[in-house]
């Protein structure tokens, strides 16, 4: 048993849980989809509930890692430019993001591990890194200011990404002139407005 087997299981589980929800998928379905035996799944994840939670956590951690990488690679980490880069990332990966929301909403209760993770980071993926960007350029901002700004921006970005991955809604909006560029311009105006409330 190696890490590639574990990753293969997580990938297959992600696809199946996103399509059918936690209760519509069996361990045998997942084993068949990734060409491993049930024992391999039990070895890595103990049971379906734990696999479900780990699938969601893995997706969230991937988003956090990739947003952090964008931040590290940016020459200009000003919150405005970084917010636009985060939006670009979420738009490009909106299908994966959508599947995570489907998995979360298909369960009666969110996995405890996921709730603990979100409590640790005080919100959705990207929140902590965006907060670092704000503090770097607005050192007088309080923790409350930073959380308010970050939650507002990440929330808007995630909402817009969900809209863009729905083809019929996206097509309908394009017919009235609302496109990705429109969303980006709206975000830029919103960030500038919110930044005016932060102490420099």
């Amino acid at each position: 048993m190696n890490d590639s087997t574990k990753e293969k299981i997580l990938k297959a589980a992600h696809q199946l849980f996103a399509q059918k929800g936690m209760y519509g998928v069996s361990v045998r379905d997942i084993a068949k989809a990734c060409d491993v035996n049930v024992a391999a799944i039990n070895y890595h994840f103990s049971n379906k509930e734990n696999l479900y939670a780990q699938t969601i956590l893995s997706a969230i951690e991937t988003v956090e890692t990739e947003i952090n990488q964008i931040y590290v690679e940016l020459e200009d980490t000003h919150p405005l430019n970084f917010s636009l880069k985060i939006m670009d990332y979420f738009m490009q990966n909106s299908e994966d993001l959508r599947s995570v929301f489907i998995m979360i909403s298909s369960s009666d209760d969110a996995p405890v591990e996921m709730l603990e993770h979100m409590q640790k980071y005080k919100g959705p993926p990207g929140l902590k890194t965006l907060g670092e960007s704000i503090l770097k350029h607005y050192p007088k901002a309080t923790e409350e200011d930073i959380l308010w700004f970050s939650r507002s921006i990440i929330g808007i970005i995630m909402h817009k990404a969900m809209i863009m991955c729905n083809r019929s809604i996206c097509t309908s909006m394009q017919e009235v002139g609302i496109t990705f560029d429109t969303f980006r311009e709206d975000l830029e105006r919103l960030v500038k407005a919110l930044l005016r409330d932060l102490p420099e």
Side-chain angles (χ1 to χ4, degrees), residues 10 56 58 61 65 71 75 80 99 114 153 156-157 172 182:
L10 281 170
I56 296 172
S58 175
E61 286 168 357
T65 299
Y71 180 69
E75 291 183 9
L80 173 58
S99 67
M114 187 199 78
I153 296 304
I156 289 290
I157 290 171
S172 177
T182 309

Side-chain angles (χ1 to χ4, degrees), residues 92-107:
Q92 291 161 8
N93 296 279
S94 61
E95 286 293 337
D96 289 338
L97 178 65
R98 181 172 178 249
S99 67
V100 174
F101 277 115
I102 291 170
M103 282 191 288
I104 293 169
S105 62
S106 70
S107 176

Side-chain angles (χ1 to χ4, degrees), residues 24-181:
V25 179
S26 69
V27 173
R28 289 191 181 282
D29 293 334
I30 297 165
K32 184 178 178 182
C34 59
D35 196 28
V36 301
N37 56 41
V38 171
I41 295 176
N42 291 333
Y43 172 81
H44 285 290
F45 301 100
S46 302
N47 54 52
K48 186 175 78 169
E49 289 73 19
N50 186 49
L51 172 56
Y52 182 76
Q54 291 304 314
T55 301
I56 296 172
L57 276 178
S58 175
I60 291 172
E61 286 168 357
T62 296
V63 172
E64 284 175 344
T65 299
E66 291 180 352
I67 289 176
N68 188 61
Q69 189 61 35
I70 292 167
Y71 180 69
V72 168
E73 292 173 357
L74 268 181
E75 291 183 9
D76 183 358
T77 58
H78 189 277
L80 173 58
N81 298 318
F82 188 39
S83 295
L84 293 171
K85 287 290 186 183
I86 293 173
M87 174 170 252
D88 292 342
Y89 170 80
F90 272 99
M91 290 296 185
Q92 291 161 8
N93 296 279
S94 61
E95 286 293 337
D96 289 338
L97 178 65
R98 181 172 178 249
S99 67
V100 174
F101 277 115
I102 291 170
M103 282 191 288
I104 293 169
S105 62
S106 70
S107 176
D108 292 338
D109 297 299
V112 173
E113 295 91 337
M114 187 199 78
L115 294 175
E116 290 173 347
H117 182 86
M118 294 188 77
Q119 287 169 353
K120 177 182 175 183
Y121 288 97
K122 300 183 179 178
L127 190 94
K128 183 180 177 187
T129 313
L130 182 56
E132 289 174 15
S133 170
I134 297 162
L135 193 57
K136 180 178 179 180
H137 293 272
Y138 294 82
K140 293 181 181 177
T142 65
E143 183 178 354
E144 186 178 322
D145 289 333
I146 292 168
L147 283 173
W148 164 77
F149 180 95
S150 301
R151 285 176 180 151
S152 299
I153 296 304
I154 297 287
I156 289 290
I157 290 171
M158 292 174 81
H159 174 72
K160 300 297 187 190
M162 291 299 94
I163 290 172
M164 290 300 284
C165 75
N166 186 307
R167 288 181 187 86
S168 59
I169 293 177
C170 193
T171 301
S172 177
M173 295 185 79
Q174 286 173 350
E175 288 173 358
V176 294
I178 301 173
T179 64
F180 168 64
D181 289 336

